Amino acid sequence: MSDTQQGGAVATSAPPSVDDGLTPAALAEKYGLSVSGARPGLFEYVRELWSRRHFILAFSSAKLTAQYSQAKLGQVWQVATPLLNALVYYLIFGLILDAGRGMTKDVYIPFLVTGIFVFTFTQSSVMAGVRAISGNLGLVRALHFPRASLPISFSLQQLQQLLFSMIVLVAIAVAFGSYPSARWLLLLPALFLQFVFNVGLAMIMARMGSKTPDLAQLMPFVMRTWMYASGVMFSIQTMLADKPAWIADILMYNPAAIYMDLIRFALIDGYGAENLPAHVWMTALAWALVFGIGGFVYFWKAEERYGRG
């Protein structure tokens, strides 16, 4: 260190630092520094998510409770909403348009209600996924946590809502002559595969929606088109019997139709295996793996960009 004096003022110069000339990257490596909010490795990311499993479950339960907190009937709307939708569709498609042709009333009514409940599960997961990041920017910017917790939590919320609805769905199936049997156990793997598919799709939509919030305005039209193309209100095979076979095949193998038909087959006695496409379980597993794993990786790759800009 040296001192110089000019006009009564003393200037002090420090000796060269040992860090002079090091790049920011070299300085970070030297002192063990890391970028705040940097994306962890894939397996480390999975471990972080698992460590926050209690938060994910609690957050989904809280959102479910708050969803109808302002309504007088409260949680009753979890079941009443899809039931009212089913009633409207039955009046239009079942009575006026005869969309249940080829099925008896005892089969068609559980068929329709199951389709509404199961498709609503996917629809709600997608819509919640679109807003998972863009609708929770305060939380994303204030706290450090794996951002995948949000779309997973919202999908879990929709699963809990479906499980409430399943009580009514089972009651309707029994009322129309479909009684509990060993086939009902197929509900468990079918719902699990659909949940994995929904989570992956919600993650894809969460990443897309984080940069394009207007996507939330477009998705209702996309979901409505998907619903009409999935045989929610009618049998695809029957309605397209006079059309080229490849059209029915495309519609029957789309994931929404696959999961609906599996649950219908498990729950409704009069809905036999002849209504299912070939290799239906392998197709359901493939959709779950492709979207579950692919959606997770796609979301993880943008982890450090969520909430910025």
Side-chain angles (χ1 to χ4, degrees):
M1 179 180 295
S2 61
D3 296 337
T4 59
Q5 184 170 351
Q6 296 180 351
V10 178
T12 302
S13 61
S17 170
V18 294
D19 292 336
D20 286 351
L22 293 180
T23 63
L27 282 171
E29 182 179 0
K30 178 179 179 180
Y31 293 103
L33 303 177
S34 61
V35 178
S36 176
R39 183 186 71 196
L42 184 59
F43 293 105
E44 176 61 27
Y45 192 65
V46 173
R47 284 194 291 269
E48 289 183 11
L49 273 174
W50 177 250
S51 69
R52 288 166 173 80
R53 61 191 182 278
H54 301 297
F55 161 75
I56 293 173
L57 182 59
F59 187 73
S60 65
S61 299
K63 294 291 288 186
L64 182 62
T65 301
Q67 184 173 355
Y68 299 107
S69 60
Q70 302 301 316
K72 289 186 177 180
L73 294 180
Q75 303 302 311
V76 173
W77 285 109
Q78 294 182 35
V79 176
T81 299
L83 272 180
L84 290 173
N85 283 332
L87 176 61
V88 171
Y89 288 129
Y90 177 71
L91 293 175
I92 301 299
F93 290 92
L95 296 181
I96 299 177
L97 300 179
D98 191 26
R101 64 180 70 104
M103 289 182 277
T104 65
K105 183 178 179 181
D106 289 345
V107 173
Y108 180 67
I109 291 179
F111 171 95
L112 175 63
V113 177
T114 301
I116 296 294
F117 278 49
V118 174
F119 186 82
T120 298
F121 178 30
T122 294
Q123 181 181 42
S124 300
S125 297
V126 170
M127 294 306 300
V130 172
R131 302 184 180 91
I133 301 297
S134 60
N136 294 277
L137 285 178
L139 182 63
V140 170
R141 290 169 176 170
L143 300 175
H144 176 69
F145 63 96
R147 308 314 189 199
S149 301
L150 293 175
I152 293 175
S153 183
F154 286 123
S155 296
L156 189 59
Q157 174 192 348
Q158 302 309 320
L159 176 62
Q160 293 179 66
Q161 186 160 339
L162 176 66
L163 293 178
F164 281 114
S165 302
M166 288 297 291
I167 299 173
V168 176
L169 184 55
V170 166
I172 291 174
V174 171
F176 286 92
S178 295
Y179 299 104
S181 66
R183 205 164 77 177
W184 281 29
L185 295 175
L186 295 176
L187 287 170
L188 299 177
L191 287 175
F192 175 76
L193 291 176
Q194 187 185 7
F195 174 68
V196 173
F197 169 80
N198 287 356
V199 169
L201 188 55
M203 287 186 174
I204 293 172
M205 301 313 300
R207 175 173 172 177
M208 297 173 64
S210 68
K211 289 299 182 183
T212 313
D214 287 350
L215 191 61
Q217 308 305 318
L218 175 64
M219 287 311 298
F221 301 99
V222 175
M223 297 306 300
R224 195 172 304 139
T225 302
W226 192 10
M227 179 182 69
Y228 290 133
S230 299
V232 174
M233 291 80 66
F234 53 83
S235 168
I236 294 175
Q237 289 176 316
T238 302
M239 293 296 289
L240 300 181
D242 59 341
K243 306 295 181 184
W246 63 268
I247 299 178
D249 288 340
I250 289 176
L251 297 185
M252 288 178 66
Y253 279 99
N254 97 71
I258 287 288
Y259 296 123
M260 277 190 295
D261 278 344
L262 281 177
I263 294 174
R264 285 164 171 163
F265 171 72
L267 196 62
I268 305 171
D269 286 346
Y271 197 76
E274 68 277 3
N275 296 290
L276 304 178
H279 312 295
V280 63
W281 282 103
M282 291 301 297
T283 305
L285 177 61
W287 280 123
L289 291 177
V290 168
F291 274 82
I293 297 174
F296 183 80
V297 173
Y298 177 74
F299 183 90
W300 162 75
K301 283 184 173 294
E303 174 73 11
E304 58 192 1
R305 299 200 295 270
Y306 298 130
R308 298 185 180 184

